[in-house]
Amino acid sequence: MADTAVADPDAALSPAQLAARHGLGVAGSRPSLAAYSRTLWSYRHFIAAYANARLVASFSAARLGQLWQVLTPLTNAAVYYLIFGVVMNASDRVPNFIAYLCTGLFIFNFTQTAVLQGTQSITSNLGLIRALHFPRACLPISVTLTQFQHLVASMVVLVGIVLVTGEPLTLQWLLVVPALVLQSVFNIGLTLAMARLGSKISDLKQLMPFIARTWMYASGVLYSVALFDEHLPPLLAELMRFNPLLVYIELVRDALLASAPLASPSGQLWLLGIGWALLVGFGGYVYFWLGEKEYGRG
Amino acid sequence: MAEQTDLVTHAASNGTHAASNGQRIPTVIADDVHIIYRVYKGGSPGSNSPVAAFKRILTRTQAPTVREVHAVKGVSFTAYRGEAIGLIGTNGSGKSTLLRAIAGLLPATRGQVFTLGQPSLLGVNAALLNDLSGERNVALGCLAMGMTPTQVRRLTPEIVEFSGINERGDFSSLPMRTYSSGMAARLRFSIAAAKKHDVLLIDEALATGDARFRRRSEERVRQLRAEAGTVFLVSHAIGTIRETCERSIWLESGVIRADGPTADVVKEYEQFANRK
């Protein structure tokens, strides 16, 4: 073509001016929050497919395959019941201890696994990140989605356990759905935040299992929440009530079990649940978005 | 007359100044780009001991296990629409790193890269899920490139057909971990090549597969080149560079040693390589 133009008017411009003149954008610059959310929405099929693919892949090498989705929570419940229900005899204090224990365990597991895997969701996918363009938030969100699918399988098991142990089937059970939705929003935010932290602080991966275990003991999963008031100073016991996981576990216990001991009245639980979901969900999303440019660097 | 209006609307639709006719339109501008990797491995023996780590925390010094690798050191160039540019240089000279920076996948530490639209990196190392079947990996890869489910359904048979993994029986429904390395590389290339691109970056993509697949993939790259505005090609096969690129950039230890017509740059590079 006409490469041999007489005098190139661009010759005197600096690279940045030349780029501005021809409408070039900076490679890998961060989009605005609204534009980022729109792109993320257009990638919803990728998020769903990736979550589903990870679910299938995680069982593909096992002979029993997807049956493990149900067997894993059952085995977990059996082990904890043996230790805390039979050996340590915590079941005296709580009516229907096995249902109480399983509710706490399954709900806690949802957050714990999502957060543990989310912490590594950027670092373990660097190959994919350095090869293809997509909003990086897809990765932690799909981790949460995979765990949500595990949770649904666990809930089927849980409903079985609750019914077998003689709890009545009431309309209040429907409250499980909004409670799990709130917890999912909370988890997505937390997983996003942890994914950004984990991509910068490589030691976090070693530390997370201990943090998760401490959190589990502080969430009244394995024993009656009444113990908080009996053994902790009043101020600390009051603080414990704000623990988001305790809130979500109690919401589900309140919905499913007729006479479970609760740390807070259910009205307060709902308010706390909504508050945590909004705060962590939105905060985590914004925090992750702010780091969008850095994720390829490793 | 009709042709001219067509040209003008075409240029205008790409967000450029249609009035500046006859002028070259830049598509990629690199302005003094530096890229520094931080590597958290390979410290000297003893530096990783608990005592040493504790000492570092007390004295607040950087861990010696964090090493900085200065891969690209102040690269500047301007690429124009319609150009095919070859990137040559010895192993580890920063070619692939530079491509990733142009694609916006690896942020530049200093300096800036300006691009027209979204450049796409056509590499062979897009990691997929090895436990899944080839067909599902195709769908996943296409979705990750931003296609809609309808497009994916339409393209999947084509991609599998192009990759030729079904030539030895129905491999597309088997998990990817059962594939030979050549088959996996062919499938990954076929997925990446399924999309049309504005600025196309090709990283050693032609070096995969057997002779037959290489011919087919070269044909596909020519098609993509015809559709794309600007093409960057990284390859050690000087023959391929000579055939496809009219301009070449020679990168050595992260610095541009030569930038100009392929014939000149390649001659200089070959003298350098033979001297060693």
Side-chain angles (χ1 to χ4, degrees):
Chain A
M1 289 223 300
D3 281 358
T4 49
V6 234
D8 195 348
D10 289 343
L13 295 175
S14 79
Q17 286 167 324
L18 184 66
R21 190 186 145 92
H22 290 277
L24 273 64
V26 176
S29 60
R30 190 182 66 213
S32 72
L33 191 57
Y36 188 65
S37 309
R38 270 197 302 276
T39 325
L40 194 61
W41 175 245
S42 72
Y43 272 86
R44 62 193 181 279
H45 300 291
F46 171 63
I47 298 177
Y50 193 63
N52 218 357
R54 283 169 43 95
L55 188 71
V56 173
S58 62
F59 296 115
S60 71
R63 185 170 295 210
L64 291 176
Q66 304 233 19
L67 201 58
W68 278 109
Q69 236 183 311
V70 181
L71 286 180
T72 311
L74 267 180
T75 324
N76 245 328
V79 170
Y80 280 102
Y81 180 70
L82 197 68
I83 295 170
F84 288 90
V86 179
V87 178
M88 294 184 67
N89 220 1
S91 43
D92 300 356
R93 309 184 50 104
V94 186
N96 197 356
F97 180 71
I98 186 159
Y100 179 88
L101 172 77
C102 288
T103 315
L105 205 58
F106 295 166
I107 298 295
F108 182 80
N109 232 351
F110 175 33
T111 300
Q112 171 178 259
T113 331
V115 167
L116 286 184
Q117 294 189 1
T119 310
Q120 300 172 54
S121 63
I122 296 294
T123 41
S124 62
N125 283 310
L126 273 182
L128 195 61
I129 287 174
R130 286 181 182 164
L132 292 174
H133 277 280
F134 55 88
R136 308 313 184 199
C138 290
L139 295 172
I141 291 177
S142 76
V143 163
T144 316
L145 206 59
T146 309
Q147 291 312 316
F148 185 78
Q149 282 164 298
H150 282 290
L151 176 76
V152 170
S154 304
M155 289 318 278
V156 172
V157 173
L158 183 65
V159 165
I161 291 173
V162 168
L163 284 177
V164 163
T165 52
E167 294 286 340
L169 183 69
T170 61
L171 267 181
Q172 213 179 347
W173 280 36
L174 289 177
L175 286 175
V176 169
V177 178
L180 292 184
V181 168
L182 286 178
Q183 196 198 356
S184 303
V185 174
F186 172 82
N187 279 1
I188 287 176
L190 193 60
T191 312
L192 284 166
M194 292 313 294
R196 179 169 176 196
L197 280 177
S199 75
K200 280 196 289 195
I201 310 166
S202 48
D203 291 16
L204 207 59
K205 184 181 151 195
Q206 323 296 335
L207 207 60
M208 278 315 287
F210 301 105
I211 296 172
R213 211 168 307 157
T214 315
W215 201 0
M216 175 154 149
Y217 295 136
S219 302
V221 174
L222 305 168
Y223 45 80
S224 169
V225 286
L227 288 175
F228 287 149
D229 282 334
E230 288 169 30
H231 295 280
L232 290 176
L235 188 70
L236 203 57
E238 196 56 47
L239 266 180
M240 284 298 218
R241 297 205 165 87
F242 287 94
N243 174 358
L245 267 184
L246 180 64
V247 170
Y248 294 120
I249 289 173
E250 299 230 285
L251 278 176
V252 177
R253 276 180 187 156
D254 188 31
L256 288 182
L257 310 176
S259 52
L262 295 178
S264 329
S266 71
Q268 192 185 333
L269 284 176
W270 281 106
L271 281 181
L272 277 172
I274 293 169
W276 274 118
L278 290 179
L279 182 74
V280 174
F282 186 70
Y285 180 60
V286 170
Y287 179 66
F288 186 88
W289 162 75
L290 284 171
E292 179 76 5
K293 250 182 97 166
E294 304 156 13
Y295 297 130
R297 204 173 277 159
Chain B
M1 184 62 208
E3 200 188 335
Q4 207 174 358
T5 25
D6 195 23
L7 265 176
V8 169
T9 44
H10 179 71
S13 71
N14 280 300
T16 52
H17 294 271
S20 53
N21 44 353
Q23 190 189 326
R24 298 196 295 172
I25 298 160
T27 49
V28 177
I29 301 173
D31 180 15
D32 193 28
V33 174
H34 289 262
I35 295 162
I36 300 172
Y37 281 109
R38 299 182 100 196
V39 187
Y40 287 89
K41 273 171 205 137
S44 54
S47 67
N48 233 346
S49 71
V51 180
F54 188 62
K55 207 168 141 192
R56 279 200 304 275
I57 293 169
L58 285 184
T59 55
R60 296 188 161 232
T61 47
Q62 265 271 355
T65 47
V66 181
R67 278 179 49 192
E68 292 196 334
V69 179
H70 206 149
V72 173
K73 301 167 186 160
V75 165
S76 303
F77 64 86
T78 307
Y80 296 91
R81 170 164 296 160
E83 273 186 325
I85 300 174
L87 276 176
I88 52 177
T90 45
N91 282 337
S93 55
K95 306 182 296 285
S96 301
T97 309
L98 184 61
L99 274 200
R100 289 202 175 118
I102 296 171
L105 298 164
L106 190 68
T109 318
R110 283 201 300 278
Q112 274 177 318
V113 181
F114 302 93
T115 58
L116 189 68
Q118 178 62 75
S120 314
L121 179 62
L122 193 61
V124 287
N125 43 6
L128 297 163
L129 289 171
N130 277 327
D131 281 332
L132 289 184
S133 72
E135 233 160 37
R136 288 192 74 145
N137 268 307
V138 170
L140 209 58
C142 290
L143 286 171
M145 291 192 297
M147 293 188 193
T148 64
T150 12
Q151 281 174 311
V152 172
R153 264 193 300 279
R154 190 165 45 86
L155 280 174
T156 304
E158 271 177 50
I159 293 171
V160 172
E161 165 74 33
F162 179 81
S163 70
I165 50 168
N166 276 352
E167 281 163 9
R168 304 255 183 292
D170 180 23
F171 265 93
S172 64
S173 57
L174 286 180
M176 265 188 80
R177 67 183 129 84
T178 64
Y179 291 15
S180 75
S181 56
M183 279 168 72
R186 273 154 60 171
L187 187 63
R188 285 194 287 257
F189 174 79
S190 311
I191 294 170
K195 211 184 161 215
K196 292 183 174 58
H197 310 274
D198 257 353
V199 175
L200 187 62
L201 314 164
I202 305 168
D203 190 357
E204 298 279 356
L206 304 177
T208 62
D210 46 30
R212 229 159 57 124
F213 183 73
R214 204 173 307 170
R215 266 201 307 283
R216 248 189 307 175
S217 58
E218 277 171 14
E219 178 55 36
R220 181 83 188 113
V221 167
R222 260 193 290 278
Q223 275 178 27
L224 286 170
R225 266 203 56 185
E227 291 158 4
T230 308
V231 177
F232 284 86
L233 176 66
V234 166
S235 180
H236 287 289
I238 295 296
T240 322
I241 300 265
R242 271 210 189 99
E243 265 173 48
T244 42
C245 309
E246 58 270 22
R247 176 179 167 192
S248 287
I249 294 176
W250 170 22
L251 215 58
E252 203 57 60
S253 328
V255 180
I256 292 187
R257 288 281 286 260
D259 178 359
T262 298
D264 304 350
V265 176
V266 163
K267 206 198 290 168
E268 244 181 283
Y269 172 64
E270 277 176 339
Q271 274 172 4
F272 173 82
N274 290 337
R275 191 149 23 101
K276 272 198 172 171

